[in-house]
């Protein structure tokens, strides 16, 4: 389905721009008119991480006139395996600032707008309103639903991408011409059902594959060429090297873009809507959460505890808290872990950041271990506050 160009062309290209974009200009479908549209376009990239890195770099190289970057995080060494817009010297630097510097190095003709802030319900509508197109490089469901809802309410298209281990997905959501993200995923998955990239990992080069597809779709939308991924979900399997696409139809009963929408404004709390952890886990963790420093004090005092690491074996191999026994979360969910827990010791659970251990804690408490606790912040907190010599991941 071809769509009209998203933006009007700029008045002209300078001599320097003609030189720079000559390989675009000699493509009949792009030509002078298409390049002028790119020059006149304003594109916001949500996130300067795995997907945002290749997206920002190729949007800049393509000559998109105004590039917005929104990211509140700082560059960590673990980012460098896939977030290629940052380098070793950028570790500790704000991602938005680091990405902006790389964009300016790639193409000094691009106007870079930095939003060094978290995207929230308080600022998303104002920020989005200044752009023609949104490229979504987020990695959590709460932000994805907020991006979708804001884009639909503002009548703006956005290019979505998702990555996990060896699998990637991409689509274009534009309620005016097709489905929105809620048509594809009406409800977020149950808490803990879908691991994040931080928990499950991602092949670094997969980011380039999906990020470049996002830019390809952005260029098509801005210039009005080709057949955009509106109403189609592109699925990529890097291990099998297979691409396939699935039709996604607009849901007439969609609560946001359907015939009789019930969601007519942003939700008050997208984190609560998506449920970072289940209600059972939140209830179990209430009053039963200790810090990494408190765990260290318990160990130093020789308290009678049984420390359990509920992560996966490959994570345990990277870094582990001394004295911890590995029992993956899945064994708690299927019940097989319970027979491994001693009755005469206080059970202390931990994971990488605290979410998985809270889910396991709910199972343990339900089994009668009333005094069991878990470590808020998990291994990340231990490395930060107890033993910085250990590797983080």
């Amino acid at each position: 389905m071809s769509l009209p160009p998203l933006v009007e062309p700029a008045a002209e290209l300078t001599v320097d721009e003609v030189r720079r974009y000559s390989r675009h200009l000699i493509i009949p479908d792009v030509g002078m008119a298409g390049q002028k549209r790119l020059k006149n376009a304003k594109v916001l990239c949500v996130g300067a991480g795995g997907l945002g890195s290749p997206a920002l770099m190729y949007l800049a190289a393509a000559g998109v006139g105004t590039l917005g970057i929104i990211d509140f995080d700082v560059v960590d060494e673990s980012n460098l395996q896939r977030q290629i817009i940052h380098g070793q010297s950028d570790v500790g630097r704000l991602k938005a600032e680091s990405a902006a510097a790389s964009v300016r190095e790639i193409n000094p003709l691009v106007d870079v707008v930095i939003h060094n802030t978290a995207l929230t319900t308080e600022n998303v509508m104002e920020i989005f309103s200044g752009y023609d197109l949104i490229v979504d490089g987020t990695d959590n469901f709460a932000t994805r639903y907020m991006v979708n809802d804001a884009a639909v309410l503002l009548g703006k298209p956005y290019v979505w991408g998702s990555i996990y281990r060896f699998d990637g997905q991409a689509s274009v959501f534009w309620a005016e011409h097709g489905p929105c993200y809620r048509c594809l995923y009406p409800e977020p998955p149950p808490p803990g059902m879908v691991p994040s990239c931080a928990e499950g990992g991602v092949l670094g080069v997969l980011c380039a594959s999906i990020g470049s597809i996002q830019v390809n779709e952005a260029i098509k939308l801005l210039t009005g060429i080709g057949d955009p991924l509106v109403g189609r979900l592109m699925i990529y399997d890097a291990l099998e090297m297979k691409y396939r696409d699935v039709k996604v139809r607009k849901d007439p009963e969609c609560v946001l873009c359907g015939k009789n929408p019930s969601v007519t404004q942003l939700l008050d709390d997208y984190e609560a809507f998506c449920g970072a952890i289940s209600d059972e886990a939140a209830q179990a963790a209430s009053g039963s959460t200790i810090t990494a420093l408190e765990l260290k004090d318990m160990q130093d005092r020789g308290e009678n505890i049984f420390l359990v690491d509920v992560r996966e074996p490959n994570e345990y191999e990277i870094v582990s808290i001394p004295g911890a026994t590995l029992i993956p979360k899945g064994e708690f969910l299927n019940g097989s872990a319970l027979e491994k827990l001693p009755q005469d010791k206080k059970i202390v659970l931990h994971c990488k950041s605290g979410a998985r251990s809270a889910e396991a804690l709910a199972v343990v408490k339900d089994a009668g271990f009333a005094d069991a606790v878990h470590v808020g912040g998990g291994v990340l907190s231990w490395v930060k506050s107890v033993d910085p010599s250990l590797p983080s991941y």
Side-chain angles (χ1 to χ4, degrees):
M1 175 178 64
S2 60
L3 296 172
L6 191 57
V7 296
E8 293 298 316
E12 63 178 3
L13 296 181
T14 66
V15 173
D16 288 340
E17 288 170 333
V18 170
R19 291 196 191 100
R20 178 178 287 266
Y21 309 125
S22 62
R23 297 303 187 273
H24 273 178
L25 300 178
I26 59 178
I27 301 174
D29 290 344
V30 181
M32 187 67 74
Q35 194 62 49
K36 287 180 179 179
R37 294 186 195 278
L38 292 176
K39 178 180 180 178
N40 208 30
K42 297 180 179 179
V43 176
L44 175 68
C45 193
V46 182
L51 291 176
S53 290
L56 284 165
M57 294 168 78
Y58 271 106
L59 287 167
V64 171
T66 301
L67 267 181
I69 307 171
I70 180 164
D71 200 309
F72 67 94
D73 204 358
V74 298
V75 180
D76 182 80
E77 194 167 16
S78 66
N79 301 148
L80 303 182
Q81 161 258 9
R82 65 200 177 282
Q83 300 180 17
I84 59 172
I85 203 167
H86 313 295
Q88 184 65 40
S89 62
D90 295 313
V91 172
R93 188 179 185 186
L94 292 169
K95 282 187 178 180
E97 298 283 353
S98 170
S102 296
V103 165
R104 294 187 182 105
E105 181 66 23
I106 291 169
N107 190 348
L109 304 178
V110 173
D111 181 21
V112 185
V113 181
I114 298 173
H115 304 276
N116 185 36
T117 182
L119 194 65
T120 68
T121 53
E122 285 75 31
N123 62 22
V124 63
M125 299 294 277
E126 180 182 357
I127 292 174
F128 278 19
S129 63
Y131 296 90
D132 303 304
L133 177 67
I134 313 301
V135 175
D136 181 13
T138 57
D139 63 355
N140 66 87
F141 288 102
T143 308
R144 287 173 185 167
Y145 278 96
M146 180 172 61
V147 167
N148 175 78
D149 293 0
V152 171
L153 294 172
L154 291 169
K156 294 183 182 292
Y158 77 100
V159 185
W160 170 78
S162 175
I163 51 175
Y164 178 68
R165 291 186 174 170
F166 298 97
D167 301 317
Q169 300 179 357
S171 189
V172 172
F173 296 111
W174 194 357
E176 184 178 336
H177 297 282
C180 76
Y181 183 76
R182 284 180 181 265
C183 295
L184 178 62
Y185 299 114
E187 298 288 341
M193 182 65 69
V194 180
S196 67
C197 290
E199 293 177 346
V202 61
L203 185 68
V205 72
L206 181 67
C207 302
S209 300
I210 301 303
S212 63
I213 288 172
Q214 289 182 279
V215 175
N216 186 63
E217 293 305 302
I219 291 173
K220 287 156 62 179
L221 290 167
L222 296 169
T223 59
I225 62 175
D227 183 11
L229 280 173
V230 175
R232 292 185 292 146
L233 174 67
M234 195 286 302
I235 302 171
Y236 173 52
D237 182 338
L239 281 181
E240 298 294 331
M241 190 47 68
K242 291 181 179 179
Y243 288 89
R244 62 189 179 96
D245 64 65
V246 178
K247 287 189 178 298
V248 181
R249 302 190 184 281
K250 190 178 184 70
D251 181 3
E253 305 302 321
C254 178
V255 297
L256 183 68
C257 72
K259 295 177 181 178
N260 299 295
S262 57
V263 177
T264 57
Q265 61 185 16
L266 296 178
L267 304 183
D268 292 332
D269 190 340
Y270 282 90
E271 292 285 350
F273 171 66
C274 292
I277 59 175
S278 67
D279 292 340
E280 294 80 6
Q283 184 176 353
S286 179
S288 297
T289 301
I290 64 172
T291 66
L293 287 173
E294 287 174 325
L295 170 60
K296 183 65 166 59
D297 288 341
M298 293 168 72
Q299 291 179 324
D300 290 345
R301 291 194 301 267
E303 290 193 21
N304 190 28
I305 66 172
F306 186 68
L307 180 61
V308 182
D309 187 333
V310 306
R311 298 175 301 154
E312 296 303 310
N314 57 317
E315 295 178 272
Y316 187 83
E317 290 179 6
I318 297 171
V319 57
S320 62
I321 296 178
T325 298
L326 177 66
I327 307 178
K329 186 187 80 171
E331 295 187 27
F332 285 90
L333 299 184
N334 66 29
S336 63
L338 297 176
E339 63 185 21
K340 301 178 182 179
L341 304 181
Q343 299 288 332
D344 59 343
K345 293 185 178 183
K346 183 184 183 73
I347 307 302
V348 181
L349 307 167
H350 82 82
C351 61
K352 179 178 181 179
S353 61
R356 284 176 284 177
S357 58
E359 300 288 347
L361 181 65
V363 175
V364 170
K365 282 184 169 292
D366 191 53
F369 295 86
D371 64 345
V373 297
H374 87 123
V375 182
V379 169
L380 295 179
S381 180
W382 180 273
V383 171
K384 182 178 180 180
S385 58
V386 178
D387 191 355
S389 67
L390 294 174
S392 185
Y393 71 104

